[in-house]
Amino acid sequence: MKNIIKLITVLVSFALLVTSCSPAPTPTTAAPTTAGPTTAAPTTAAPTTAAPTTAAPIHLVVWWWGEQEAPGAQKWMDDTVKAYEVLHPNVTIETVLQSTDSLIPAFQSAAAAGSGPDIQYFWGGIYTLQNAWSGAIIPLDNLIPADEMSHYINNFERSYDGKQYGIGWYLSGNPMVYNPKLFTQAGLDPKNPPQTWNDLITACQKLNAIGVVPISGGMKDGWFGGWLFSILARQSHDSYKDFMSASVGNAKFTDPQFSGWWTALDQLKQAKCWNADINSIDYQQGQDMFVQGKSAILFSNDTFLKGFADTAGFGWDSMAVMMVPKWATGKMADEYITTAQGWGITSWSKYPQQDADFLMFMHTPDRLAAWWADTGVLPADNRMDTSLITQPIQQEIYKWDTTVAGANLENFIPNQLDNDANMTGVQLLFSGDKTPAQLAQLSEDTIAKWRLQNPDQVTFFQTWSK
Amino acid sequence: MRTKKIEPFLFLAPALFVLLVVFGVPIYRLFVLSFQRQSQGKQIFVGLSNYKLIFMDNVFIQAIQHNGTLIICVPIMVVAALLLSILLFERIRGWQFYRTTLFLPYLLPITVVGLVFSYIFQFSGVLNGILNAIGLKFLALDWLGSTHLALPTLMFVIIWKEMGFGVILFLARLMSVDEELYDAAKIDGANWLQLHLNITLPQLSTVIEFFTVISIITMLSWVFNYVYVMTNGGPGNATIVTELYIYLMAFQYNNINLAAAVSVLLLLVTGIFIFLELYLRDRAEVGEALG
């Protein structure tokens, strides 16, 4: 009997692993039902912060992520919940901060079980919409008034087939950050950072000459490979929809327009622009090298900048931002990548209107100002009081966000392409195992495999890419 | 008479029911999912299609190959654990300290071990720092960042951590071997090698078999943590294993059905080894009973 129990225990460990994340029930794309206590469609008034008509106790659960890239978010979230609970005495809100690794798996398990958070944090694009396609989240069009929604930035990332499946919370963009002091030491003009690919390669040579790593990065955990795809592959295109179209088979990733970025990246590698240990360190370690003064340039995230500035021995004067130098001439080469990290409401939540009300409360002027004060990260809302932005670097970022913002490509391609081709491919480029041409073929092979393995997702992508 | 026959099953019934619900249902669901595909929000039957698809996926093939390569660790672990347990059994100077030291890695969480070794084996990490400092720069390689070295490096860490279990198993068995056997052999003039080849190995055969089978199962289905923490399957899928492939399919690519198909295969292969282990243990028990 002991043997049988042991055998079954081992067997079941596999079974549980997979079945725990089996798909959610049939998708429901209809507007929320009348399950919640308040079922009336919202008016077009400003965010509702008044107490609800019913006094029945309501408990909302929020699973979120964000402290990791916007330090201070935890404090803001705690304060926001307290403030909301004061205004709505019958509502209690439980927040659960997820780790980066558990964010997606935990929600998928919850979706499979049909129970879990009422409000869930999502990255933009595919990371949100795949949950709409599986029926785990609901459209918000009937829950948040259109004029309120119109203030939220980057709504297009969560829009599918005419419906809005989530809203933004804060903006996360990708500037190129450089150290003006190291630029000066290397004989580079910090007021005129590199603008073309050749300028960048020349800068690498000068920085190498003074013994500084020109650009630092870490590929071991893969993420940075996806970032480089989003930052570089866009430059030869006019629209992010090109990549969605190619994903469903209307173009090939081996076409020069799609494969050119591999060559551009390889040129940086050949010019010794990168740290030698790039493949053996994580993304964050690559970022840390910049703050430690070991590298001069960083493909970074604007949510990190305040943290960099707050680091002892660093400061705002130790960095400046620039647009990514150009290797191609597509319209997207002039864009500043911005995504809105955001929220969705689950299909099993009993209180969709209260969920939406809490989300709108996050966008009230007081909360927007508090968000900026706590994190130094821009909220995804055009009502933010811009007079609060006093640092020139952050003013520059805000200007890009509001004038030349463009989509983060990683959010508009299948995850499998990002992981199996972009992240894997960049590692193979830096290890010297594959040439740019071979990596372009890897991308094409991977997307062909994705189409074969996921006919259902291909259908969704076809609709989405229109 | 009839009641007496049924009685044991009545006692077992509650436990069997729990087993069926808690374990049986997920396994059944796993098998069902492996024959289905998501279509317009519903699961439709697709026969063996998922199994065909995974064998067309070169990443899955790579994952299988890497699990196969990891099995090379098993004979290394067995031989090393055997030698070390013999040395400890012979009470070399400081054997108590060594016994603790050798078993300690087995007690450490894999995540901690993985993180520590990640820092040690980075290109600019501790190991290469030492090699550079002592003039062995040519040996300072990109242990985790090279597609050729990442898997062997991972294997080294797995061996280091898992071997301690073998040492303790073998040592425990050696402690119970009748010392008269060794004394008699020594009187007959047997040397060190003969002693262990003719006495130690036969006496330890069942526990060696047990450790071997357990280690094979580990290499096939229990290395996820090492890979996830140390390399995340990279660089360039150079260390991807079947468990990580399942994880990616299920949680990153939202393809639960392919993940289920791979899980079923892993379940079956692992099941074979579990049955083998059970068979060996039964055989050993019979052997002991027969004296």
Side-chain angles (χ1 to χ4, degrees), chain A residues 18 23 108 277 420 427 433 449, chain B residues 43 57 124 147 236 254 263:
Chain A
V18 172
Q108 289 192 346
D277 58 354
D420 279 1
Q427 290 173 337
D433 288 278
K449 181 175 73 180
Chain B
Q43 291 287 339
D57 186 349
S124 50
T147 51
N254 246 5
S263 298

Side-chain angles (χ1 to χ4, degrees), chain B:
Chain B
M1 187 69 182
R2 187 178 173 80
T3 312
K4 282 209 165 186
K5 270 188 179 176
I6 295 171
E7 197 176 47
F9 294 102
L10 289 175
F11 281 114
L12 284 172
L16 286 174
F17 177 74
V18 171
L19 284 176
L20 191 69
V21 172
V22 177
F23 298 151
V25 172
I27 290 179
Y28 166 76
R29 185 108 175 81
L30 181 72
F31 274 82
V32 170
L33 279 170
S34 77
F35 295 109
Q36 294 178 326
R37 170 168 75 74
Q38 180 111 350
S39 177
Q40 300 299 312
K42 291 177 183 168
Q43 291 287 339
I44 58 169
F45 180 75
V46 291
L48 291 170
S49 169
N50 291 330
Y51 292 91
K52 287 180 194 164
L53 285 172
I54 56 173
F55 279 103
M56 290 163 66
D57 186 349
N58 60 333
V59 179
F60 174 65
I61 302 298
Q62 278 180 291
I64 296 176
Q65 287 170 342
H66 295 153
N67 280 111
T69 307
L70 286 176
I71 291 177
I72 294 171
C73 294
V74 176
I76 297 171
M77 279 161 53
V78 170
V79 171
L82 194 58
L83 287 173
L84 289 168
S85 60
I86 289 171
L87 288 175
L88 292 175
F89 179 63
E90 292 178 346
R91 306 200 169 183
I92 58 167
R93 196 181 176 85
W95 69 276
Q96 286 166 312
F97 169 75
Y98 293 130
R99 186 177 61 181
T100 308
T101 310
L102 285 167
F103 191 55
L104 191 64
Y106 189 72
L107 300 177
L108 296 172
I110 295 174
T111 314
V112 174
V113 169
L115 281 173
V116 169
F117 275 99
S118 291
Y119 282 99
I120 291 173
F121 285 119
Q122 278 173 12
F123 187 62
S124 50
V126 177
L127 176 64
N128 285 351
I130 294 169
L131 290 171
N132 286 328
I134 60 175
L136 296 175
K137 194 174 180 180
F138 66 98
L139 285 178
L141 306 172
D142 198 355
W143 304 102
L144 294 173
S146 155
T147 51
H148 305 292
L149 294 173
L151 191 60
T153 305
L154 200 64
M155 290 165 74
F156 169 82
V157 177
I158 293 172
I159 291 170
W160 177 84
K161 167 132 174 56
E162 300 289 335
M163 190 179 62
F165 181 53
V167 173
I168 291 298
L169 274 181
F170 297 162
L171 190 59
R173 179 68 187 96
L174 274 170
M175 299 278 198
S176 65
V177 174
D178 188 351
E179 290 209 21
E180 286 180 6
L181 291 172
Y182 290 103
D183 294 339
K186 282 175 190 166
I187 291 168
D188 288 343
N191 60 28
W192 186 88
L193 191 63
Q194 288 170 322
L195 276 179
H196 293 299
L197 279 178
N198 296 307
I199 299 174
T200 306
L201 274 183
Q203 291 292 321
L204 262 63
S205 62
T206 52
V207 75
I208 290 172
E209 286 169 354
F210 170 76
F211 181 62
T212 302
V213 175
I214 288 292
S215 299
I216 291 173
I217 293 170
T218 300
M219 299 307 155
L220 292 176
S221 61
W222 206 250
V223 289
F224 176 86
N225 286 358
Y226 292 104
V227 175
Y228 191 73
V229 174
M230 288 187 65
T231 63
N232 201 24
N237 287 332
T239 56
I240 193 165
V241 291
T242 319
E243 293 164 272
L244 183 61
Y245 181 88
I246 293 169
Y247 171 82
L248 289 172
M249 274 293 164
F251 296 116
Q252 298 283 330
Y253 309 156
N254 246 5
N255 198 327
I256 194 68
N257 304 102
L258 288 192
V262 179
S263 298
V264 165
L265 291 178
L266 186 57
L267 189 71
L268 294 175
V269 173
T270 311
I272 290 168
F273 285 98
I274 291 169
F275 276 113
L276 181 63
E277 191 240 321
L278 296 177
Y279 166 75
L280 290 171
R281 279 173 58 176
D282 284 347
R283 197 187 65 176
E285 282 167 15
V286 171
E288 279 175 23
L290 293 175

